[in-house]
Amino acid sequence: MTDSQQVVYIVEDDEAVRDSLEMMLVSMEHKVETFPTANAFLDSYSESMAGCIVLDIRMPGMDGMELQKELNSRNSILPIIFVTGHGDVPMAVEAMQLGAIDFIQKPYREQELLEKIKAALELDAEQRDSLKEKKEIIRRLEELTPREKEIMDMMIEGHANKVIAIDLDISQRTVEIHRSRVMHKMGTHSLAHLVRMVLMVKE
């Protein structure tokens, strides 16, 4: 599912191409923002932006690949679709190796671009949901006491309560209480789910 707050950001130096792209996307009920240069986009960029970027690979000044590298350095997760001329295909392939999700050659069919944009917006929504989940897991982990974290780590390693009690020189009942608090604070009743959550924030 895509988000109603997502925007398709068009970074294209050719005004006619920029305007026609904007008109097409607005007619399909997409929110659109356009930029004539990479620097203009960077001036407006914030990590809260949601959506995707349709980015011309060849532009005066900072080109599309340079913008991509700068966004990578800022840990941007906005999916990028490069628009390329025929001779730019090797560059586009390199751009995909740097994290772009797709490229489309000029001249392109509108439907082809729309399908790529739809896929990019779905990816963006999935990535943002995952990021929100990670942040929430980190918040919950930070609420654990040092002892609870210690016991949680041993639980994840598969140690039984009795073994944990012996290793930490505490009673089994104390382990059970800490274990219950860990599960409550982490918002789960399943050890398998707890393991998945901890692994998720370590990825």
Side-chain angles (χ1 to χ4, degrees), residues 122-138:
E122 287 173 351
L123 174 63
D124 176 69
E126 288 169 9
Q127 290 182 153
R128 286 180 192 285
D129 285 344
S130 176
L131 203 57
K132 283 180 190 172
E133 189 178 353
K134 274 189 177 182
K135 286 180 178 176
E136 176 59 19
I137 292 167
I138 290 167

Side-chain angles (χ1 to χ4, degrees), residues 15-193:
E15 185 177 1
V17 173
R18 199 167 63 241
D19 290 348
S20 67
L21 266 177
E22 181 178 17
M23 287 175 59
M24 177 188 72
L25 291 168
V26 169
S27 74
M28 300 301 293
E29 300 186 343
H30 287 292
K31 292 181 180 177
V32 181
E33 291 183 23
T34 65
F35 302 88
T37 66
N39 282 317
F41 177 80
L42 279 178
D43 288 343
S44 298
Y45 173 75
S46 89
E47 63 177 24
S48 63
M49 284 177 165
C52 69
I53 307 172
V54 178
L55 177 57
D56 192 3
I57 206 161
R58 285 195 185 276
M59 293 183 290
M62 179 183 284
D63 66 25
M65 285 190 66
E66 289 171 330
L67 174 57
Q68 179 192 25
K69 289 172 183 175
E70 176 60 28
L71 289 172
N72 284 349
S73 75
R74 300 188 188 192
N75 299 314
S76 168
I77 62 169
L78 282 169
I80 294 174
I81 301 167
F82 273 106
V83 178
T84 70
H86 178 71
D88 299 332
V89 170
M91 290 175 67
V93 171
E94 182 184 348
M96 290 186 70
Q97 291 170 344
L98 291 170
I101 67 158
D102 218 328
F103 69 91
I104 188 165
Q105 281 186 257
K106 302 173 184 176
Y108 50 79
R109 292 184 301 108
E110 288 185 354
Q111 187 57 37
E112 183 185 2
L113 178 58
L114 287 170
E115 287 170 2
K116 290 180 187 294
I117 287 171
K118 180 175 181 287
L121 293 175
E122 287 173 351
L123 174 63
D124 176 69
E126 288 169 9
Q127 290 182 153
R128 286 180 192 285
D129 285 344
S130 176
L131 203 57
K132 283 180 190 172
E133 189 178 353
K134 274 189 177 182
K135 286 180 178 176
E136 176 59 19
I137 292 167
I138 290 167
R139 185 192 68 76
R140 292 178 187 181
L141 286 169
E142 287 172 348
E143 290 184 352
L144 299 179
T145 65
R147 177 63 96 185
E148 287 165 353
K149 286 179 182 174
E150 187 175 28
I151 288 175
M152 181 191 72
D153 288 341
M154 297 178 80
M155 288 164 58
I156 288 169
E157 289 169 4
H159 297 302
N161 290 353
K162 185 177 180 180
V163 174
I164 296 172
I166 293 168
D167 285 352
L168 298 181
D169 195 24
I170 56 179
S171 73
Q172 193 167 326
R173 177 61 184 152
T174 301
V175 173
E176 289 167 1
I177 292 168
H178 281 306
R179 186 180 185 119
S180 175
R181 287 176 181 163
V182 167
M183 300 301 265
H184 176 72
K185 288 182 179 180
M186 294 304 294
T188 184
H189 299 286
S190 160
L191 179 58
H193 186 212

